[in-house]
Amino acid sequence: MPLKRAADILFTERMKINFKEWRDAIVSKPDDHLSGNIRCTAGQFQTVFFKMRPAIMLNGFSSHQLQLIQQVLRKNFRDLIYVCTFGEDETSEKRVVYSDTDEDKILLMKDVQEDLLKNREARVKSAIGIRHVIDLLSSERKLIVGHSCFLDIAQVYSKFVGPLPSSIKEFALSIHKIFPHIADTRHLMTVNQAVQKLMKQKSKSLSSAFSLLCPSSHSYPEKPSTLSPVRIEVGGDKTMSSCFISGAKHEAGYDAYMTGCVFAQLCTYLDIKFEQLSPQDNLATNNKLQKHINLLSPSWNSGTVLDLSSGMERPEPGYMRRYPAAVYDNIVLIWGFVSKVRPKEIKDCIRKVFGTGSVTSVFPIDSTAVLVQFNKSESVNDFLDLKAVLERTDSAISILHPLSTILEGGQTRAAKYDTYRDICSSSESKYLFADQAETVCATSKNQVPENVDDNLISDVQQSILDGTLLTSVNKGDGTKSGSKNKDADDITCQHILDALHNNRALFGNRMRSQ
């Protein structure tokens, strides 16, 4: 390191003199090492022993000054060695150690390397405490209980086992080797008719199941109720008890408490009598529970359970679908919303064009994108074609059209479900889905097609002038992919004139200027 600044030159010369005086004093009078006086700023030099060798502890020096000290030692002193180690409180300790022979230097550096290795191992062990818990649960083959815990198990796997497998079957079999006994209380609620009757039309969330199955778990009744046949007692003072009464859901400790309470009550519905079990009995191998464990719901609306022992999915008993099944050929992806548009508004504006039963569901991805599922697969192409036509129509038609809520002045884009798959499988990662989609589509060879025949524009204009609303457009072969909408919600010329006269938009949509 070149010495250009006067301060560096003066510092290195002072260090050279101090180290020489200290080294000479050790050579002449080794027994007087600890009582020797080294000229330096108070406290910066502290005479000590390191590995039974005379040493100086360096205190209060900057990193730049320590680099200069190392340079001084390398250039001027063959018998002084700079050593950096870590103390008990993990703080680094810098020393200058006297070693008179080459053999002793090699032995000293070997000892230092061993100390550094032991320190690193200790730091690693102190940082993997939860990993010891995971290993212990696995080695003891303990029963793991969770509520709708598929993602929780996946999180544990990714953090303490390895990268998640590429297939759900491989993941299930790998987890089964680590945790051979996993009980999901959400699945247990579906295997008993009495519980199904209680949970009818109820949410299967943990807090909902806890409030229904354990209504008196915090009041410690004299006798268990019919809904909660197992009495749950929680030790602690009044402050702690009030915390359990309040129900701090989504806090890890309280969620674990609720899960345990729900599991205990569900076991009684499976005719498992805890008073007949001894402490030595393994609940995981109980015959009445055994056939209901290792079955996890992959998602809250899948209607299936994953058998961890085989890696296969099968229908979930007692499942009642709350939402229509996803039909990927009937789904359109729309992204790029600037303003906040609710799913109901999107559904209503599409239904005004394609009919009341045209849209089965709208799945919001985030504030910038949605998935719209049509009742018929043909409606997907009809919608994409009509959207492209309206965005090419430079007139009041595109502003007054019911789809203006989705168009947002040409800001939004749309594509089939395959594009959604490509966007999700991309290595790109953006916070908002619209940004993710634009990044992927910009680099993808399969750009979203938006070319429209100019003749289609005149078809839309003429349809409105005729007093009806065109819900389909001409295909390339001259045929039409749909027909005109004759429902009560059709836009007529009089509607357009009234809207322009009153300075308002049709169907409550805000007028947008071109």
Side-chain angles (χ1 to χ4, degrees):
M1 186 166 56
L3 302 178
K4 297 181 179 180
R5 298 191 307 167
D8 292 345
I9 297 174
L10 293 175
F11 178 80
T12 54
E13 289 299 320
R14 187 169 72 252
M15 292 297 104
K16 187 191 304 183
I17 294 173
N18 289 341
F19 288 133
K20 184 178 185 303
E21 291 180 352
W22 175 68
R23 194 269 312 271
D24 293 344
I26 291 175
V27 173
S28 60
K29 298 180 180 180
D31 297 337
D32 295 340
H33 162 60
L34 293 179
S35 60
N37 183 23
I38 301 177
R39 294 179 300 173
C40 194
T41 304
Q44 286 189 307
F45 279 177
Q46 179 184 355
T47 53
V48 295
F49 280 98
F50 179 74
K51 304 291 184 182
M52 304 300 293
R53 299 171 179 85
I56 298 174
M57 183 78 75
L58 303 177
N59 300 318
F61 290 100
S62 66
S63 58
H64 178 69
Q65 290 174 331
L66 290 173
Q67 288 181 336
L68 293 175
I69 288 175
Q70 294 178 63
Q71 184 167 295
V72 168
L73 296 176
R74 286 194 301 269
K75 293 178 65 174
N76 301 281
F77 301 97
R78 291 180 55 84
D79 49 2
L80 299 184
I81 303 174
Y82 178 86
V83 174
C84 179
T85 59
F86 291 91
E88 295 181 358
D89 57 352
E90 300 299 330
T91 57
S92 60
E93 298 176 344
K94 287 85 175 178
R95 300 179 180 86
V96 176
V97 183
Y98 173 75
S99 180
D100 53 354
T101 65
D102 291 339
E103 292 79 7
D104 187 60
K105 289 180 185 178
I106 295 174
L107 182 61
L108 172 63
M109 296 311 298
K110 182 179 178 181
D111 292 341
V112 170
Q113 292 299 323
E114 290 178 353
D115 287 349
L116 289 174
L117 181 59
K118 290 179 181 178
N119 177 265
R120 289 170 183 166
E121 290 176 347
R123 293 170 66 184
V124 170
K125 289 181 179 179
S126 66
I128 59 173
I130 188 63
R131 175 56 194 257
H132 295 314
V133 176
I134 300 297
D135 291 340
L136 185 61
L137 292 173
S138 177
S139 62
E140 294 294 326
R141 303 175 70 84
K142 290 291 186 180
L143 175 65
I144 309 298
V145 181
H147 183 87
S148 195
C149 57
F150 182 85
L151 291 180
D152 300 302
I153 298 298
Q155 180 82 340
V156 170
Y157 188 102
S158 66
K159 295 297 183 292
F160 301 107
V161 179
L164 288 172
S166 58
S167 69
I168 192 171
K169 181 176 181 179
E170 184 183 353
F171 168 73
L173 296 177
S174 299
I175 276 293
H176 188 60
K177 290 181 180 179
I178 302 169
F179 300 122
H181 309 294
I182 300 178
D184 191 336
T185 52
R186 188 181 185 278
H187 171 69
L188 291 178
M189 289 190 297
T190 66
V191 301
N192 183 273
Q193 292 184 353
V195 178
Q196 289 183 25
K197 187 176 181 180
L198 286 173
M199 298 298 297
K200 188 177 182 180
Q201 306 299 328
K202 300 283 186 180
S203 169
K204 289 185 174 61
S205 66
L206 177 58
S207 57
S208 176
F210 176 73
S211 61
L212 182 67
L213 298 175
C214 314
S216 57
S217 61
H218 55 266
S219 57
Y220 319 121
E222 294 262 341
K223 295 181 180 180
S225 67
T226 56
L227 287 179
S228 54
V230 177
R231 177 178 174 180
I232 307 294
E233 292 186 359
V234 180
D237 56 22
K238 294 181 179 179
T239 303
M240 294 177 61
S241 297
S242 64
C243 176
F244 283 100
I245 293 173
S246 65
K249 63 180 181 180
H250 300 312
E251 291 185 5
Y254 195 81
D255 279 356
Y257 164 71
M258 289 194 296
T259 303
C261 291
V262 171
F263 175 72
Q265 308 302 342
L266 291 174
C267 283
T268 61
Y269 283 99
L270 297 175
D271 199 28
I272 298 175
K273 303 183 184 303
F274 290 102
E275 64 273 10
Q276 297 178 0
L277 300 178
S278 66
Q280 289 74 31
D281 290 335
N282 187 356
L283 190 60
T285 58
N286 185 282
N287 292 332
K288 297 176 180 178
L289 182 63
Q290 187 69 33
K291 58 184 178 181
H292 301 304
I293 65 174
N294 295 324
L295 298 171
L296 305 184
S297 300
S299 68
W300 59 274
N301 194 37
S302 64
T304 61
V305 291
L306 175 65
D307 189 342
L308 298 181
S309 60
S310 65
M312 305 301 293
E313 285 187 77
R314 65 191 193 198
E316 182 180 2
Y319 174 76
M320 297 180 62
R321 184 173 292 277
R322 297 176 58 190
Y323 300 94
V327 182
Y328 302 124
D329 291 340
N330 296 11
I331 293 179
V332 167
L333 168 67
I334 308 173
W335 74 88
F337 292 105
V338 178
S339 58
K340 188 175 182 180
V341 184
R342 294 181 300 174
K344 185 179 184 302
E345 295 174 338
I346 297 174
K347 181 184 293 186
D348 290 343
C349 78
I350 296 178
R351 283 178 171 177
K352 288 171 181 176
V353 179
F354 290 89
T356 305
S358 58
V359 178
T360 59
S361 53
V362 177
F363 302 95
I365 300 174
D366 60 15
S367 61
T368 66
V370 297
L371 292 169
V372 178
Q373 179 164 311
F374 287 91
N375 188 36
K376 299 178 181 179
S377 59
E378 305 85 56
S379 300
V380 172
N381 290 328
D382 293 346
F383 172 81
L384 294 176
D385 292 341
L386 182 57
K387 178 179 181 296
V389 168
L390 292 173
E391 289 175 343
R392 288 282 303 276
T393 305
D394 188 16
S395 67
I397 295 175
S398 60
I399 300 176
L400 298 172
H401 199 279
L403 289 187
S404 61
T405 299
I406 295 176
L407 299 178
E408 290 207 351
Q411 295 294 321
T412 59
R413 303 185 71 189
K416 295 183 179 181
Y417 189 80
D418 288 341
T419 301
Y420 175 71
R421 283 198 181 101
D422 295 339
I423 294 170
C424 292
S425 61
S426 171
S427 59
E428 298 288 342
S429 180
K430 302 294 182 180
Y431 179 72
L432 294 175
F433 185 87
D435 296 335
Q436 171 88 356
E438 289 302 316
T439 303
V440 174
C441 291
T443 58
S444 175
K445 295 180 180 180
N446 299 322
Q447 295 286 336
V448 179
E450 293 184 351
N451 295 328
V452 182
D453 190 345
D454 291 337
N455 293 329
L456 301 181
I457 298 176
S458 60
D459 291 341
V460 176
Q461 293 173 331
Q462 186 61 44
S463 67
I464 294 183
L465 293 176
D466 292 340
T468 59
L469 182 64
L470 187 67
T471 63
S472 61
V473 295
N474 290 334
K475 295 182 178 180
D477 58 1
T479 62
K480 287 190 175 182
S481 59
S483 60
K484 295 179 180 180
N485 187 350
K486 299 290 185 179
D487 290 346
D489 290 334
D490 289 342
I491 299 178
T492 65
C493 293
Q494 188 61 42
H495 289 151
I496 297 176
L497 294 175
D498 291 343
L500 294 174
H501 178 73
N502 297 326
N503 193 26
R504 60 180 174 81
L506 273 68
F507 309 113
N509 293 328
R510 179 171 56 85
M511 298 275 291
R512 294 181 175 87
S513 59
Q514 288 283 11

